[in-house]
Amino acid sequence: VGELTEKLLENNQISKEKLLGVGVGVAGLVDFDHGLLIQSTFFGWQNVQFSKLVEERLGVKTYIDNDVNTLVVAEQLFGAGQNLEHFITITVGRGIGMGIVVHGQIYRGVNGAGEFGHITVQSGGRQCTCGKRGCLETFVSDEGLLISGKEACSQSINSVDELLELAESGNKKAQEVFARAGTILGVQIANLITVLLPMRIIIGGEG
């Protein structure tokens, strides 16, 4: 992160003295106030003083947050969340993430609210990377779709793109995999609306 920041400054001909701070979005549970990455299943990290490490490297104040929360800020400043007091951002792709805005502020809970991908949708279902079973991610994330595709289709499928190509070519079983994932995600978003009643839900992500 330090090297990339210095490269960005160099490429844009900005002196390091003008750098006010650095913000980093990280996949996982984050203690925003203390700059601590509590846990990241994606990286396999626990209790990493991420902000401190970057600050020591660059000599400027550094903030870390959950990657979806950084997307929420982008939506507030430049996107579909402008001028909205209450909205939710959901990301679909490698995982299923969520950022919540209440009264114009990101809702963080005690330590990292918004782990939407790890709500249980099937008790005793598939094993999830978080250690639980039947999480939303096990059906709707890229990996969940791939597992479902391999179970449903006789063909050898190595990526979500291949599964998508099958569905678009008219393969009914592949289409059913996406339809089921869409239904599961839709039901859980409907539940969010019932509980939180946001003004808008923004869906994005690499998926």
Side-chain angles (χ1 to χ4, degrees):
V1 171
E3 288 176 3
L4 177 61
T5 301
E6 290 175 342
K7 191 69 177 174
L8 287 168
L9 291 171
E10 181 185 330
N11 289 350
N12 291 280
Q13 298 180 321
I14 299 170
S15 67
K16 193 173 179 181
E17 289 70 32
K18 289 187 177 180
L19 184 64
L20 299 177
V22 174
V24 185
V26 187
L29 288 173
V30 173
D31 181 343
F32 176 80
D33 292 328
H34 298 96
L36 175 68
L37 179 59
I38 299 169
Q39 183 179 24
S40 175
T41 304
F42 180 70
F43 290 114
W45 296 350
Q46 282 189 316
N47 297 319
V48 177
Q49 292 284 350
F50 202 98
S51 287
K52 183 180 178 183
L53 291 170
V54 180
E55 284 176 2
E56 289 173 351
R57 174 68 171 74
L58 290 172
V60 295
K61 183 67 179 174
T62 300
Y63 298 91
I64 69 163
D65 205 344
N66 174 268
D67 52 354
V68 183
N69 282 344
T70 62
L71 176 60
V72 165
V73 174
E75 294 289 359
Q76 283 182 306
L77 294 173
F78 311 111
Q82 293 180 77
N83 303 315
L84 295 181
E85 284 288 294
H86 311 282
F87 72 92
I88 293 170
T89 296
I90 294 171
T91 57
V92 180
R94 187 189 71 242
I96 310 298
M98 179 173 69
I100 306 166
V101 171
V102 178
H103 295 299
Q105 301 295 316
I106 293 175
Y107 176 73
R108 302 180 188 280
V110 176
N111 271 324
E115 288 296 308
F116 185 47
H118 299 293
I119 62 172
T120 302
V121 297
Q122 185 183 59
S123 180
R126 289 179 189 156
Q127 184 78 44
C128 184
T129 55
C130 75
K132 298 195 304 177
R133 288 188 174 274
C135 292
L136 181 62
E137 279 193 9
T138 64
F139 296 98
V140 184
S141 70
D142 286 352
E143 183 65 22
L145 288 168
L146 191 55
I147 291 170
S148 295
K150 288 178 178 178
E151 289 175 353
C153 306
S154 56
Q155 294 99 321
S156 175
I157 301 168
N158 299 305
S159 70
V160 176
D161 285 341
E162 288 183 17
L163 182 62
L164 185 58
E165 286 175 11
L166 268 181
E168 289 176 337
S169 70
N171 185 293
K172 296 297 183 185
K173 290 183 178 179
Q175 290 173 355
E176 286 169 5
V177 168
F178 285 105
R180 183 187 185 205
T183 298
I184 291 170
L185 179 61
V187 167
Q188 300 312 318
I189 290 175
N191 287 335
L192 283 178
I193 293 169
T194 302
V195 174
L196 297 173
L197 200 62
M199 300 167 76
R200 182 171 295 163
I201 291 180
I202 303 165
I203 302 177
E206 67 272 17

